[in-house]
Amino acid sequence: MINGSKPLARSLRWGMVGGGGTSQIGYIHRSAALRDGTFTLAAGAFDIDAQRGRRFGQSLGVAADRCYADYAALFREEAARPDGIEAVSIATPNNTHYAICRAALEAGLHVVCEKPLCFTVEQAQTLEALCRQHNKILGVTYGYAGHQLILQARQMIAEGRLGDIRIVNMQFSHGFHAEPVELENPSTRWRVDPHFVGPSYVLGDLATHTLFLAETMAPQLNIRRLMCARQSFVKSRAPLEDNAYVLMEYDNGAVGSLWCSAVNCGSMHGQKIRIVGSKASLEWWDEQPNQLRFEVQGEPVRILERGMFYLDPAALADDRIGGGHPEGLFEAWSNLYRRFALAMDATDRRDAAFLADFWYPDVHAGTLGVRWVENCVRSADAGAGWVTFG
């Protein structure tokens, strides 16, 4: 259980690109990063409007001369300081991620980035190579994976309690964009603009979250081929989809399905994952994230509760308050940022033994998401046929 003691001997000097006062996600990044004392916010380029970004940074307590006009100035000026930043988080529109990630790694910084890392597998592989070249990590904020019961599911599957995995059923389908809300909401508008988000909307924005949950719970599964059909029910969003279905086949013979949608009227969030084995099944729903449903064939359903003694130590390690008290997305993000900090520290110390068994959403997870979206688009644009996952 996390008791509030600092996991590192010192805080890492940290900066942000984006995440300013008009950002939807800037606050949760800062709250998560600063929660455990693993990071100290020292600098940033918080806004595309330099003056607005400077005012906002100062309101956070960042010195005026360390609130920069753009990321290039941030990286250049901080590199010249003896107390310059060591890590940076990128919370900007999707089309900027690759260039900023690349510049940050080349500047010798650890990076935490919103998904997607980039738009093509080739770009993702370049970022992987830069991580190796500069001995830095690149973490991806798949925030839902920070809920402890995701790790509980991972341990139960690894122990064989579900038997052979046969079916993975996933969905992330809310209803808040059933109308063209982007016409009135600038923070939504860029999410449905191919210039900013690349070749997909809900496949990249929603589905990759749930795909990563499956990868975390059952890392032994490898996609062999998939087929995808996508629709633009709000016609002005075409060619980007606001609804999609994906079928997958895994190399062990298991099958998977994923429904992602922004037009599921009445649904608040609608992110669920169910993994079915030959002995039992597990199901998790992010609107009730403190419970994991465990169903053994022929036995009563069991609801496993966060924070309880019967859970695996790996799941209990990230508890922030005892069982019975609900934890939410801010705690899940804090767990990820704590893990990012530990991975950064171990990487700097070249502690390969620690990193060998240490889980966090890394650059390879980001690459998988990019590759998956690329293959889904390829399948959908070819008439929803099966494509080899490559």
Side-chain angles (χ1 to χ4, degrees), residues 169-228:
N169 181 245
M170 298 164 274
Q171 73 172 63
F172 196 157
S173 53
H174 67 74
F176 287 99
H177 295 172
E179 300 290 337
V181 295
E182 60 270 18
L183 299 180
E184 304 295 333
N185 188 339
S187 65
T188 302
R189 191 174 305 141
W190 68 264
R191 296 178 184 275
V192 297
D193 184 339
H195 174 71
F196 290 100
V197 300
S200 77
Y201 167 34
V202 293
L203 285 164
D205 194 45
L206 303 180
T208 52
H209 278 294
T210 320
L211 183 75
F212 182 68
L213 294 183
E215 181 191 5
T216 300
M217 290 179 172
Q220 72 274 27
L221 297 182
N222 298 295
I223 301 171
R224 186 172 66 85
R225 64 175 189 157
L226 61 76
M227 64 182 299
C228 173

Side-chain angles (χ1 to χ4, degrees), residues 39 179 271:
F39 295 95
E179 300 290 337
Q271 182 176 205

Side-chain angles (χ1 to χ4, degrees), residues 256-275:
S257 64
L258 196 157
W259 172 37
C260 57
S261 181
V263 297
N264 182 19
C265 290
S267 172
M268 285 297 296
H269 218 226
Q271 182 176 205
K272 296 181 180 180
I273 179 168
R274 182 177 179 87
I275 299 186

Side-chain angles (χ1 to χ4, degrees), residues 17 71 120 206 219 221-223 251 269 308 313 330 379:
V17 179
Y71 72 86
T120 70
L206 303 180
L221 297 182
N222 298 295
I223 301 171
D251 59 2
H269 218 226
M308 295 304 293
F330 275 74
S379 168

Side-chain angles (χ1 to χ4, degrees), residues 122-136:
E122 182 180 8
Q123 290 175 338
Q125 291 172 336
T126 296
L127 296 178
E128 289 185 336
L130 285 170
C131 288
R132 293 191 296 269
Q133 178 184 341
H134 295 280
N135 191 43
K136 299 299 175 184

